PDB file of all heavy atoms in Angstrom:
ATOM      1  N   SER F   1    -218.542  11.792 103.575  1.00  0.00           N
ATOM      2  CA  SER F   1    -217.648  12.560 102.723  1.00  0.00           C
ATOM      3  C   SER F   1    -216.307  11.871 102.470  1.00  0.00           C
ATOM      4  O   SER F   1    -215.441  12.445 101.812  1.00  0.00           O
ATOM      5  CB  SER F   1    -217.397  13.932 103.338  1.00  0.00           C
ATOM      6  OG  SER F   1    -216.736  13.814 104.581  1.00  0.00           O
ATOM      7  N   SER F   2    -216.126  10.677 103.003  1.00  0.00           N
ATOM      8  CA  SER F   2    -214.885   9.913 102.896  1.00  0.00           C
ATOM      9  C   SER F   2    -213.743  10.551 103.676  1.00  0.00           C
ATOM     10  O   SER F   2    -212.585  10.180 103.478  1.00  0.00           O
ATOM     11  CB  SER F   2    -214.467   9.734 101.436  1.00  0.00           C
ATOM     12  OG  SER F   2    -215.464   9.058 100.701  1.00  0.00           O
ATOM     13  N   GLU F   3    -214.045  11.485 104.551  1.00  0.00           N
ATOM     14  CA  GLU F   3    -213.025  12.156 105.346  1.00  0.00           C
ATOM     15  C   GLU F   3    -212.726  11.441 106.663  1.00  0.00           C
ATOM     16  O   GLU F   3    -211.738  11.753 107.320  1.00  0.00           O
ATOM     17  CB  GLU F   3    -213.439  13.597 105.619  1.00  0.00           C
ATOM     18  CG  GLU F   3    -213.514  14.449 104.361  1.00  0.00           C
ATOM     19  CD  GLU F   3    -213.951  15.869 104.620  1.00  0.00           C
ATOM     20  OE1 GLU F   3    -214.340  16.178 105.769  1.00  0.00           O
ATOM     21  OE2 GLU F   3    -213.909  16.685 103.683  1.00  0.00           O
ATOM     22  N   ARG F   4    -213.574  10.525 107.037  1.00  0.00           N
ATOM     23  CA  ARG F   4    -213.346   9.739 108.244  1.00  0.00           C
ATOM     24  C   ARG F   4    -213.478   8.265 107.893  1.00  0.00           C
ATOM     25  O   ARG F   4    -214.514   7.830 107.394  1.00  0.00           O
ATOM     26  CB  ARG F   4    -214.326  10.120 109.352  1.00  0.00           C
ATOM     27  CG  ARG F   4    -214.084  11.519 109.909  1.00  0.00           C
ATOM     28  CD  ARG F   4    -215.081  11.853 110.991  1.00  0.00           C
ATOM     29  NE  ARG F   4    -214.770  13.129 111.628  1.00  0.00           N
ATOM     30  CZ  ARG F   4    -215.127  14.312 111.154  1.00  0.00           C
ATOM     31  NH1 ARG F   4    -215.820  14.391 110.025  1.00  0.00           N
ATOM     32  NH2 ARG F   4    -214.795  15.418 111.799  1.00  0.00           N
ATOM     33  N   ILE F   5    -212.432   7.528 108.167  1.00  0.00           N
ATOM     34  CA  ILE F   5    -212.359   6.112 107.820  1.00  0.00           C
ATOM     35  C   ILE F   5    -211.724   5.363 108.978  1.00  0.00           C
ATOM     36  O   ILE F   5    -210.784   5.850 109.598  1.00  0.00           O
ATOM     37  CB  ILE F   5    -211.543   5.908 106.530  1.00  0.00           C
ATOM     38  CG1 ILE F   5    -212.279   6.501 105.327  1.00  0.00           C
ATOM     39  CG2 ILE F   5    -211.245   4.432 106.300  1.00  0.00           C
ATOM     40  CD1 ILE F   5    -211.472   6.510 104.055  1.00  0.00           C
ATOM     41  N   TYR F   6    -212.227   4.189 109.248  1.00  0.00           N
ATOM     42  CA  TYR F   6    -211.705   3.392 110.343  1.00  0.00           C
ATOM     43  C   TYR F   6    -211.702   1.926 109.947  1.00  0.00           C
ATOM     44  O   TYR F   6    -212.653   1.436 109.351  1.00  0.00           O
ATOM     45  CB  TYR F   6    -212.546   3.591 111.608  1.00  0.00           C
ATOM     46  CG  TYR F   6    -211.954   2.960 112.839  1.00  0.00           C
ATOM     47  CD1 TYR F   6    -210.936   3.597 113.542  1.00  0.00           C
ATOM     48  CD2 TYR F   6    -212.417   1.730 113.302  1.00  0.00           C
ATOM     49  CE1 TYR F   6    -210.388   3.018 114.668  1.00  0.00           C
ATOM     50  CE2 TYR F   6    -211.872   1.150 114.431  1.00  0.00           C
ATOM     51  CZ  TYR F   6    -210.860   1.799 115.115  1.00  0.00           C
ATOM     52  OH  TYR F   6    -210.324   1.227 116.233  1.00  0.00           O
ATOM     53  N   TYR F   7    -210.619   1.218 110.313  1.00  0.00           N
ATOM     54  CA  TYR F   7    -210.473  -0.182 109.976  1.00  0.00           C
ATOM     55  C   TYR F   7    -210.267  -1.037 111.221  1.00  0.00           C
ATOM     56  O   TYR F   7    -209.673  -0.594 112.206  1.00  0.00           O
ATOM     57  CB  TYR F   7    -209.264  -0.408 109.074  1.00  0.00           C
ATOM     58  CG  TYR F   7    -209.329   0.303 107.749  1.00  0.00           C
ATOM     59  CD1 TYR F   7    -208.688   1.524 107.568  1.00  0.00           C
ATOM     60  CD2 TYR F   7    -210.015  -0.248 106.681  1.00  0.00           C
ATOM     61  CE1 TYR F   7    -208.733   2.174 106.349  1.00  0.00           C
ATOM     62  CE2 TYR F   7    -210.067   0.398 105.456  1.00  0.00           C
ATOM     63  CZ  TYR F   7    -209.429   1.606 105.296  1.00  0.00           C
ATOM     64  OH  TYR F   7    -209.475   2.245 104.079  1.00  0.00           O
ATOM     65  N   ALA F   8    -210.738  -2.255 111.142  1.00  0.00           N
ATOM     66  CA  ALA F   8    -210.385  -3.227 112.158  1.00  0.00           C
ATOM     67  C   ALA F   8    -208.892  -3.514 112.076  1.00  0.00           C
ATOM     68  O   ALA F   8    -208.291  -3.470 110.998  1.00  0.00           O
ATOM     69  CB  ALA F   8    -211.183  -4.518 111.965  1.00  0.00           C
ATOM     70  N   ASP F   9    -208.284  -3.807 113.214  1.00  0.00           N
ATOM     71  CA  ASP F   9    -206.851  -4.068 113.237  1.00  0.00           C
ATOM     72  C   ASP F   9    -206.458  -5.211 112.307  1.00  0.00           C
ATOM     73  O   ASP F   9    -205.369  -5.210 111.725  1.00  0.00           O
ATOM     74  CB  ASP F   9    -206.397  -4.393 114.659  1.00  0.00           C
ATOM     75  CG  ASP F   9    -206.401  -3.176 115.560  1.00  0.00           C
ATOM     76  OD1 ASP F   9    -206.404  -2.040 115.051  1.00  0.00           O
ATOM     77  OD2 ASP F   9    -206.385  -3.364 116.791  1.00  0.00           O
ATOM     78  N   SER F  10    -207.334  -6.167 112.158  1.00  0.00           N
ATOM     79  CA  SER F  10    -207.028  -7.349 111.371  1.00  0.00           C
ATOM     80  C   SER F  10    -206.862  -7.061 109.882  1.00  0.00           C
ATOM     81  O   SER F  10    -206.248  -7.856 109.163  1.00  0.00           O
ATOM     82  CB  SER F  10    -208.115  -8.418 111.567  1.00  0.00           C
ATOM     83  OG  SER F  10    -209.387  -7.919 111.195  1.00  0.00           O
ATOM     84  N   VAL F  11    -207.399  -5.943 109.416  1.00  0.00           N
ATOM     85  CA  VAL F  11    -207.329  -5.624 107.990  1.00  0.00           C
ATOM     86  C   VAL F  11    -206.575  -4.337 107.713  1.00  0.00           C
ATOM     87  O   VAL F  11    -206.348  -3.995 106.541  1.00  0.00           O
ATOM     88  CB  VAL F  11    -208.732  -5.536 107.360  1.00  0.00           C
ATOM     89  CG1 VAL F  11    -209.529  -6.805 107.647  1.00  0.00           C
ATOM     90  CG2 VAL F  11    -209.483  -4.312 107.862  1.00  0.00           C
ATOM     91  N   LYS F  12    -206.174  -3.637 108.738  1.00  0.00           N
ATOM     92  CA  LYS F  12    -205.497  -2.359 108.583  1.00  0.00           C
ATOM     93  C   LYS F  12    -204.221  -2.524 107.761  1.00  0.00           C
ATOM     94  O   LYS F  12    -203.418  -3.419 108.008  1.00  0.00           O
ATOM     95  CB  LYS F  12    -205.182  -1.776 109.958  1.00  0.00           C
ATOM     96  CG  LYS F  12    -204.865  -0.294 109.968  1.00  0.00           C
ATOM     97  CD  LYS F  12    -204.772   0.223 111.405  1.00  0.00           C
ATOM     98  CE  LYS F  12    -206.078   0.042 112.149  1.00  0.00           C
ATOM     99  NZ  LYS F  12    -206.009   0.564 113.540  1.00  0.00           N
ATOM    100  N   GLY F  13    -204.063  -1.658 106.778  1.00  0.00           N
ATOM    101  CA  GLY F  13    -202.908  -1.717 105.904  1.00  0.00           C
ATOM    102  C   GLY F  13    -203.093  -2.604 104.697  1.00  0.00           C
ATOM    103  O   GLY F  13    -202.270  -2.565 103.771  1.00  0.00           O
ATOM    104  N   ARG F  14    -204.140  -3.409 104.687  1.00  0.00           N
ATOM    105  CA  ARG F  14    -204.405  -4.309 103.573  1.00  0.00           C
ATOM    106  C   ARG F  14    -205.686  -3.971 102.823  1.00  0.00           C
ATOM    107  O   ARG F  14    -205.751  -4.151 101.608  1.00  0.00           O
ATOM    108  CB  ARG F  14    -204.485  -5.757 104.066  1.00  0.00           C
ATOM    109  CG  ARG F  14    -203.213  -6.253 104.729  1.00  0.00           C
ATOM    110  CD  ARG F  14    -203.293  -7.739 105.047  1.00  0.00           C
ATOM    111  NE  ARG F  14    -204.370  -8.044 105.984  1.00  0.00           N
ATOM    112  CZ  ARG F  14    -205.395  -8.850 105.726  1.00  0.00           C
ATOM    113  NH1 ARG F  14    -205.476  -9.439 104.529  1.00  0.00           N
ATOM    114  NH2 ARG F  14    -206.330  -9.075 106.637  1.00  0.00           N
ATOM    115  N   PHE F  15    -206.688  -3.513 103.548  1.00  0.00           N
ATOM    116  CA  PHE F  15    -207.983  -3.198 102.952  1.00  0.00           C
ATOM    117  C   PHE F  15    -208.162  -1.689 102.855  1.00  0.00           C
ATOM    118  O   PHE F  15    -207.664  -0.935 103.693  1.00  0.00           O
ATOM    119  CB  PHE F  15    -209.128  -3.762 103.793  1.00  0.00           C
ATOM    120  CG  PHE F  15    -209.248  -5.260 103.781  1.00  0.00           C
ATOM    121  CD1 PHE F  15    -208.258  -6.073 103.250  1.00  0.00           C
ATOM    122  CD2 PHE F  15    -210.379  -5.860 104.316  1.00  0.00           C
ATOM    123  CE1 PHE F  15    -208.376  -7.454 103.250  1.00  0.00           C
ATOM    124  CE2 PHE F  15    -210.507  -7.236 104.322  1.00  0.00           C
ATOM    125  CZ  PHE F  15    -209.509  -8.040 103.790  1.00  0.00           C
ATOM    126  N   THR F  16    -208.910  -1.263 101.848  1.00  0.00           N
ATOM    127  CA  THR F  16    -209.236   0.139 101.677  1.00  0.00           C
ATOM    128  C   THR F  16    -210.720   0.281 101.375  1.00  0.00           C
ATOM    129  O   THR F  16    -211.216  -0.298 100.409  1.00  0.00           O
ATOM    130  CB  THR F  16    -208.428   0.775 100.536  1.00  0.00           C
ATOM    131  OG1 THR F  16    -207.027   0.635 100.793  1.00  0.00           O
ATOM    132  CG2 THR F  16    -208.760   2.260 100.422  1.00  0.00           C
ATOM    133  N   ILE F  17    -211.405   1.042 102.201  1.00  0.00           N
ATOM    134  CA  ILE F  17    -212.809   1.327 101.960  1.00  0.00           C
ATOM    135  C   ILE F  17    -212.916   2.665 101.231  1.00  0.00           C
ATOM    136  O   ILE F  17    -212.160   3.600 101.510  1.00  0.00           O
ATOM    137  CB  ILE F  17    -213.622   1.343 103.274  1.00  0.00           C
ATOM    138  CG1 ILE F  17    -215.121   1.462 102.991  1.00  0.00           C
ATOM    139  CG2 ILE F  17    -213.153   2.454 104.202  1.00  0.00           C
ATOM    140  CD1 ILE F  17    -215.990   1.278 104.228  1.00  0.00           C
ATOM    141  N   SER F  18    -213.826   2.752 100.296  1.00  0.00           N
ATOM    142  CA  SER F  18    -214.042   3.986  99.561  1.00  0.00           C
ATOM    143  C   SER F  18    -215.496   4.047  99.123  1.00  0.00           C
ATOM    144  O   SER F  18    -216.242   3.069  99.253  1.00  0.00           O
ATOM    145  CB  SER F  18    -213.103   4.087  98.352  1.00  0.00           C
ATOM    146  OG  SER F  18    -213.342   3.033  97.434  1.00  0.00           O
ATOM    147  N   ARG F  19    -215.882   5.195  98.611  1.00  0.00           N
ATOM    148  CA  ARG F  19    -217.257   5.327  98.151  1.00  0.00           C
ATOM    149  C   ARG F  19    -217.329   6.308  97.001  1.00  0.00           C
ATOM    150  O   ARG F  19    -216.498   7.212  96.869  1.00  0.00           O
ATOM    151  CB  ARG F  19    -218.182   5.768  99.294  1.00  0.00           C
ATOM    152  CG  ARG F  19    -217.929   7.165  99.823  1.00  0.00           C
ATOM    153  CD  ARG F  19    -218.682   7.395 101.132  1.00  0.00           C
ATOM    154  NE  ARG F  19    -220.120   7.250 100.960  1.00  0.00           N
ATOM    155  CZ  ARG F  19    -220.982   7.100 101.965  1.00  0.00           C
ATOM    156  NH1 ARG F  19    -220.539   7.053 103.222  1.00  0.00           N
ATOM    157  NH2 ARG F  19    -222.283   6.977 101.718  1.00  0.00           N
ATOM    158  N   ASP F  20    -218.328   6.118  96.172  1.00  0.00           N
ATOM    159  CA  ASP F  20    -218.635   7.021  95.082  1.00  0.00           C
ATOM    160  C   ASP F  20    -220.098   7.384  95.249  1.00  0.00           C
ATOM    161  O   ASP F  20    -220.987   6.632  94.841  1.00  0.00           O
ATOM    162  CB  ASP F  20    -218.372   6.364  93.733  1.00  0.00           C
ATOM    163  CG  ASP F  20    -218.529   7.321  92.572  1.00  0.00           C
ATOM    164  OD1 ASP F  20    -219.222   8.345  92.712  1.00  0.00           O
ATOM    165  OD2 ASP F  20    -217.954   7.043  91.498  1.00  0.00           O
ATOM    166  N   ASN F  21    -220.336   8.521  95.863  1.00  0.00           N
ATOM    167  CA  ASN F  21    -221.709   8.904  96.169  1.00  0.00           C
ATOM    168  C   ASN F  21    -222.542   9.144  94.912  1.00  0.00           C
ATOM    169  O   ASN F  21    -223.753   8.928  94.917  1.00  0.00           O
ATOM    170  CB  ASN F  21    -221.723  10.147  97.057  1.00  0.00           C
ATOM    171  CG  ASN F  21    -221.307   9.838  98.480  1.00  0.00           C
ATOM    172  OD1 ASN F  21    -221.376   8.695  98.922  1.00  0.00           O
ATOM    173  ND2 ASN F  21    -220.864  10.862  99.203  1.00  0.00           N
ATOM    174  N   ALA F  22    -221.893   9.587  93.849  1.00  0.00           N
ATOM    175  CA  ALA F  22    -222.615   9.800  92.598  1.00  0.00           C
ATOM    176  C   ALA F  22    -223.155   8.492  92.039  1.00  0.00           C
ATOM    177  O   ALA F  22    -224.173   8.477  91.346  1.00  0.00           O
ATOM    178  CB  ALA F  22    -221.716  10.479  91.571  1.00  0.00           C
ATOM    179  N   LYS F  23    -222.467   7.392  92.337  1.00  0.00           N
ATOM    180  CA  LYS F  23    -222.897   6.075  91.887  1.00  0.00           C
ATOM    181  C   LYS F  23    -223.658   5.314  92.963  1.00  0.00           C
ATOM    182  O   LYS F  23    -224.074   4.173  92.737  1.00  0.00           O
ATOM    183  CB  LYS F  23    -221.698   5.248  91.433  1.00  0.00           C
ATOM    184  CG  LYS F  23    -220.993   5.799  90.212  1.00  0.00           C
ATOM    185  CD  LYS F  23    -219.845   4.895  89.797  1.00  0.00           C
ATOM    186  CE  LYS F  23    -219.174   5.411  88.535  1.00  0.00           C
ATOM    187  NZ  LYS F  23    -218.044   4.551  88.114  1.00  0.00           N
ATOM    188  N   ASN F  24    -223.808   5.940  94.135  1.00  0.00           N
ATOM    189  CA  ASN F  24    -224.523   5.309  95.237  1.00  0.00           C
ATOM    190  C   ASN F  24    -223.905   3.947  95.581  1.00  0.00           C
ATOM    191  O   ASN F  24    -224.615   2.968  95.841  1.00  0.00           O
ATOM    192  CB  ASN F  24    -226.003   5.136  94.892  1.00  0.00           C
ATOM    193  CG  ASN F  24    -226.927   5.483  96.046  1.00  0.00           C
ATOM    194  OD1 ASN F  24    -226.588   6.292  96.913  1.00  0.00           O
ATOM    195  ND2 ASN F  24    -228.102   4.870  96.068  1.00  0.00           N
ATOM    196  N   THR F  25    -222.586   3.920  95.598  1.00  0.00           N
ATOM    197  CA  THR F  25    -221.860   2.669  95.750  1.00  0.00           C
ATOM    198  C   THR F  25    -220.698   2.831  96.724  1.00  0.00           C
ATOM    199  O   THR F  25    -220.045   3.874  96.763  1.00  0.00           O
ATOM    200  CB  THR F  25    -221.321   2.188  94.394  1.00  0.00           C
ATOM    201  OG1 THR F  25    -222.423   1.990  93.498  1.00  0.00           O
ATOM    202  CG2 THR F  25    -220.573   0.875  94.533  1.00  0.00           C
ATOM    203  N   VAL F  26    -220.453   1.786  97.496  1.00  0.00           N
ATOM    204  CA  VAL F  26    -219.328   1.707  98.416  1.00  0.00           C
ATOM    205  C   VAL F  26    -218.458   0.528  98.004  1.00  0.00           C
ATOM    206  O   VAL F  26    -218.976  -0.501  97.565  1.00  0.00           O
ATOM    207  CB  VAL F  26    -219.811   1.547  99.866  1.00  0.00           C
ATOM    208  CG1 VAL F  26    -218.632   1.496 100.829  1.00  0.00           C
ATOM    209  CG2 VAL F  26    -220.735   2.692 100.244  1.00  0.00           C
ATOM    210  N   TYR F  27    -217.153   0.676  98.173  1.00  0.00           N
ATOM    211  CA  TYR F  27    -216.213  -0.347  97.745  1.00  0.00           C
ATOM    212  C   TYR F  27    -215.335  -0.805  98.901  1.00  0.00           C
ATOM    213  O   TYR F  27    -215.135  -0.088  99.878  1.00  0.00           O
ATOM    214  CB  TYR F  27    -215.305   0.185  96.633  1.00  0.00           C
ATOM    215  CG  TYR F  27    -216.042   0.754  95.451  1.00  0.00           C
ATOM    216  CD1 TYR F  27    -216.288   2.120  95.358  1.00  0.00           C
ATOM    217  CD2 TYR F  27    -216.502  -0.074  94.432  1.00  0.00           C
ATOM    218  CE1 TYR F  27    -216.969   2.651  94.275  1.00  0.00           C
ATOM    219  CE2 TYR F  27    -217.182   0.447  93.351  1.00  0.00           C
ATOM    220  CZ  TYR F  27    -217.415   1.806  93.269  1.00  0.00           C
ATOM    221  OH  TYR F  27    -218.091   2.325  92.193  1.00  0.00           O
ATOM    222  N   LEU F  28    -214.803  -1.993  98.748  1.00  0.00           N
ATOM    223  CA  LEU F  28    -213.795  -2.492  99.662  1.00  0.00           C
ATOM    224  C   LEU F  28    -212.708  -3.160  98.838  1.00  0.00           C
ATOM    225  O   LEU F  28    -212.913  -4.249  98.295  1.00  0.00           O
ATOM    226  CB  LEU F  28    -214.382  -3.482 100.673  1.00  0.00           C
ATOM    227  CG  LEU F  28    -213.411  -3.962 101.749  1.00  0.00           C
ATOM    228  CD1 LEU F  28    -213.056  -2.811 102.695  1.00  0.00           C
ATOM    229  CD2 LEU F  28    -214.004  -5.132 102.536  1.00  0.00           C
ATOM    230  N   GLN F  29    -211.580  -2.487  98.722  1.00  0.00           N
ATOM    231  CA  GLN F  29    -210.425  -3.055  98.041  1.00  0.00           C
ATOM    232  C   GLN F  29    -209.651  -3.897  99.037  1.00  0.00           C
ATOM    233  O   GLN F  29    -209.213  -3.395 100.073  1.00  0.00           O
ATOM    234  CB  GLN F  29    -209.536  -1.947  97.478  1.00  0.00           C
ATOM    235  CG  GLN F  29    -208.273  -2.441  96.795  1.00  0.00           C
ATOM    236  CD  GLN F  29    -208.564  -3.207  95.525  1.00  0.00           C
ATOM    237  OE1 GLN F  29    -209.350  -2.763  94.702  1.00  0.00           O
ATOM    238  NE2 GLN F  29    -207.929  -4.363  95.364  1.00  0.00           N
ATOM    239  N   MET F  30    -209.470  -5.160  98.730  1.00  0.00           N
ATOM    240  CA  MET F  30    -208.812  -6.089  99.631  1.00  0.00           C
ATOM    241  C   MET F  30    -207.538  -6.595  98.976  1.00  0.00           C
ATOM    242  O   MET F  30    -207.587  -7.272  97.942  1.00  0.00           O
ATOM    243  CB  MET F  30    -209.739  -7.258  99.985  1.00  0.00           C
ATOM    244  CG  MET F  30    -211.081  -6.823 100.554  1.00  0.00           C
ATOM    245  SD  MET F  30    -212.092  -8.229 101.105  1.00  0.00           S
ATOM    246  CE  MET F  30    -212.352  -9.046  99.523  1.00  0.00           C
ATOM    247  N   ASN F  31    -206.409  -6.267  99.561  1.00  0.00           N
ATOM    248  CA  ASN F  31    -205.112  -6.702  99.068  1.00  0.00           C
ATOM    249  C   ASN F  31    -204.444  -7.610 100.090  1.00  0.00           C
ATOM    250  O   ASN F  31    -204.827  -7.645 101.256  1.00  0.00           O
ATOM    251  CB  ASN F  31    -204.215  -5.495  98.790  1.00  0.00           C
ATOM    252  CG  ASN F  31    -204.768  -4.575  97.736  1.00  0.00           C
ATOM    253  OD1 ASN F  31    -205.415  -5.016  96.782  1.00  0.00           O
ATOM    254  ND2 ASN F  31    -204.492  -3.279  97.879  1.00  0.00           N
ATOM    255  N   SER F  32    -203.432  -8.321  99.635  1.00  0.00           N
ATOM    256  CA  SER F  32    -202.675  -9.219 100.512  1.00  0.00           C
ATOM    257  C   SER F  32    -203.600 -10.119 101.313  1.00  0.00           C
ATOM    258  O   SER F  32    -203.457 -10.280 102.527  1.00  0.00           O
ATOM    259  CB  SER F  32    -201.775  -8.400 101.450  1.00  0.00           C
ATOM    260  OG  SER F  32    -200.878  -7.593 100.721  1.00  0.00           O
ATOM    261  N   LEU F  33    -204.529 -10.715 100.635  1.00  0.00           N
ATOM    262  CA  LEU F  33    -205.535 -11.525 101.309  1.00  0.00           C
ATOM    263  C   LEU F  33    -204.925 -12.753 101.972  1.00  0.00           C
ATOM    264  O   LEU F  33    -203.977 -13.355 101.459  1.00  0.00           O
ATOM    265  CB  LEU F  33    -206.613 -11.949 100.320  1.00  0.00           C
ATOM    266  CG  LEU F  33    -207.619 -10.849  99.966  1.00  0.00           C
ATOM    267  CD1 LEU F  33    -208.380 -11.195  98.701  1.00  0.00           C
ATOM    268  CD2 LEU F  33    -208.586 -10.631 101.132  1.00  0.00           C
TER     269      LEU F  33
END
């Protein structure tokens, strides 16, 4: 449901995981690479 999310310390604050269940797809937005 996207209500619980957890990140590795190495990417916390820079990466964002999300999903669109209607599209059967998961995303990873990666910033400040």
Side-chain angles (χ1 to χ4, degrees):
S1 63
S2 301
E3 295 179 353
R4 291 180 174 83
I5 293 172
Y6 189 80
Y7 299 97
D9 288 341
S10 59
V11 307
K12 198 172 299 181
R14 300 187 298 120
F15 290 11
T16 302
I17 187 172
S18 62
R19 66 192 300 164
D20 186 338
N21 286 339
K23 295 182 177 180
N24 222 27
T25 300
V26 181
Y27 306 95
L28 185 68
Q29 178 67 47
M30 305 185 296
N31 298 326
S32 301
L33 283 163

